[in-house]
Amino acid sequence: MSPSTNSTTEVANASYTPANFASVFAFVTTFSPVVRSNIREPEELEDTIRCVGGSDGLKHFALLLLAAAFNRAPGAKLSEGQWPRLCSDLASDSIDILRRLQIPEAVADSIDSFLGHDVAVRVDVLFWLCEVALASNSSVKTMVDQEVAKARNPSTATHAKDRLIRLEPFAEIAKQRYWIFGTKSRFLYLESTSQRAKGKLELMAQTPDEFTSVAAELQTQRTHAHRELASRLTEEIVPFLATQARKRMRVEKALQRQAMALANVHIYETRTRKRQKVNYNVDDSLASLDF
């Protein structure tokens, strides 16, 4: 089945492996207390990898993942000068992972050398660091162990939306996996595990209408699993997106009201030639909004 929605596109172009990109995003967002990255959405990771706005963001991000791979304290900062030695040491201890990737040895020469390679190599390097951190970082292991313990104890089990849901697909039917990513938004991705299209990851839906369209098509399928997935999308994801949309609207209206108030104060100051004390801190007026 291949639902046809207006947003059905590749996660990114063919310049890198979409599955590796998705794995990096899943690791960073799931274990954000360990990595301490500001990346929250797939587009932010995409821009970072492609150095949109400069290369400093990718340098910082790569060093954070390198620190996590070496089991450093959460948020530990490494210097660019440490990159060559640490990458070389890490490579010798993770040959099994590297065999599955196409990473030139030159990426370990310097972090600038890493940045000098194409996007496909950058994604593979970040994926390599995430895989090592997932296997060796003690803080990551603690988070996973705590989540497993919660799941085994009904009295402490957390709601599905609060779990480390990105450690496993949202649903898996036949040879297709459905992934949900996003924090204040939701993105539905379809991954094929068949030999012909293995690793291909497609964006199926990101708006309430698109999720509703996908759910409607899933409902037409014969299997119970497809219809159950349709119900989950309709009952869990669509209401969440509607709530987020209402919150955004409240924030936008609050910003508009404050902009009008500031404009009126400016007119008043101009006409009276008097200076009035004005609070230009937008955060204060939005503090009551849970967004």
Side-chain angles (χ1 to χ4, degrees):
M1 187 197 68
S2 56
S4 58
T5 65
N6 292 333
S7 70
T8 303
T9 57
E10 293 289 330
V11 169
N13 61 37
S15 61
Y16 58 73
T17 306
N20 287 359
F21 175 91
S23 295
V24 174
F25 179 75
F27 178 84
V28 171
T29 52
T30 300
F31 301 105
S32 57
V34 178
V35 181
R36 304 285 178 89
S37 168
N38 292 326
I39 293 174
R40 295 292 181 270
E41 302 295 345
E43 290 80 2
E44 294 173 338
L45 178 59
E46 173 87 10
D47 288 347
T48 299
I49 292 173
R50 295 189 180 279
C51 296
V52 175
S55 61
D56 288 346
L58 180 56
K59 284 184 180 181
H60 177 68
F61 182 58
L63 289 171
L64 285 177
L65 291 182
L66 182 59
F70 267 90
N71 199 23
R72 299 293 177 89
K77 295 182 180 180
L78 301 178
S79 67
E80 295 182 20
Q82 293 176 281
W83 177 270
R85 179 180 61 81
L86 293 182
C87 281
S88 297
D89 291 347
L90 197 65
S92 63
D93 294 333
S94 55
I95 296 177
D96 291 341
I97 298 175
L98 288 174
R99 284 173 179 167
R100 298 183 277 119
L101 304 171
Q102 299 296 322
I103 300 179
E105 292 184 6
V107 299
D109 292 345
S110 68
I111 196 164
D112 287 327
S113 177
F114 158 66
L115 294 175
H117 284 80
D118 60 30
V119 175
V121 172
R122 295 177 191 174
V123 170
D124 278 355
V125 170
L126 298 177
F127 174 78
W128 165 51
L129 297 177
C130 290
E131 287 290 284
V132 174
L134 189 61
S136 61
N137 188 283
S138 58
S139 297
V140 168
K141 184 178 184 301
T142 297
M143 289 183 65
V144 174
D145 289 345
Q146 289 174 345
E147 202 66 26
V148 171
K150 288 180 182 178
R152 290 174 178 171
N153 186 351
S155 64
T156 60
T158 54
H159 193 275
K161 70 181 181 65
D162 297 321
R163 295 175 188 162
L164 300 180
I165 57 175
R166 299 182 187 88
L167 291 175
E168 58 186 20
F170 188 72
E172 186 167 359
I173 304 173
K175 292 186 177 181
Q176 293 180 318
R177 293 172 180 165
Y178 296 82
W179 296 85
I180 294 289
F181 294 128
T183 50
K184 294 182 180 179
S185 58
R186 289 292 184 269
F187 299 87
L188 175 65
Y189 293 104
L190 174 64
E191 177 192 5
S192 174
T193 58
S194 66
Q195 196 63 34
R196 177 182 297 180
K198 191 173 183 180
K200 184 178 181 182
L201 202 66
E202 294 182 355
L203 174 61
M204 299 178 65
Q206 57 183 324
T207 68
D209 289 344
E210 290 168 353
F211 273 99
T212 300
S213 177
V214 171
E217 187 162 347
L218 288 168
Q219 284 287 7
T220 65
Q221 302 301 307
R222 295 181 179 181
T223 65
H224 173 72
H226 284 104
R227 294 194 294 272
E228 183 180 22
L229 174 58
S231 298
R232 291 186 65 189
L233 294 178
T234 303
E235 297 171 6
E236 298 177 27
I237 306 300
V238 174
F240 172 85
L241 291 174
T243 299
Q244 292 301 103
R246 288 193 295 270
K247 289 180 179 180
R248 282 194 296 270
M249 187 174 296
R250 289 202 300 271
V251 170
E252 289 172 359
K253 288 183 177 179
L255 290 171
Q256 290 174 359
R257 288 195 300 270
Q258 183 155 32
M260 292 178 62
L262 293 176
N264 291 335
V265 168
H266 176 71
I267 293 173
Y268 174 76
E269 290 179 350
T270 302
R271 289 178 177 176
T272 61
R273 304 299 182 188
K274 290 183 178 180
R275 281 291 178 187
Q276 305 294 329
K277 185 176 181 181
V278 183
N279 178 14
Y280 290 96
N281 190 347
V282 177
D283 294 336
D284 290 347
S285 61
L286 300 180
S288 60
L289 294 178
D290 179 20
F291 181 70

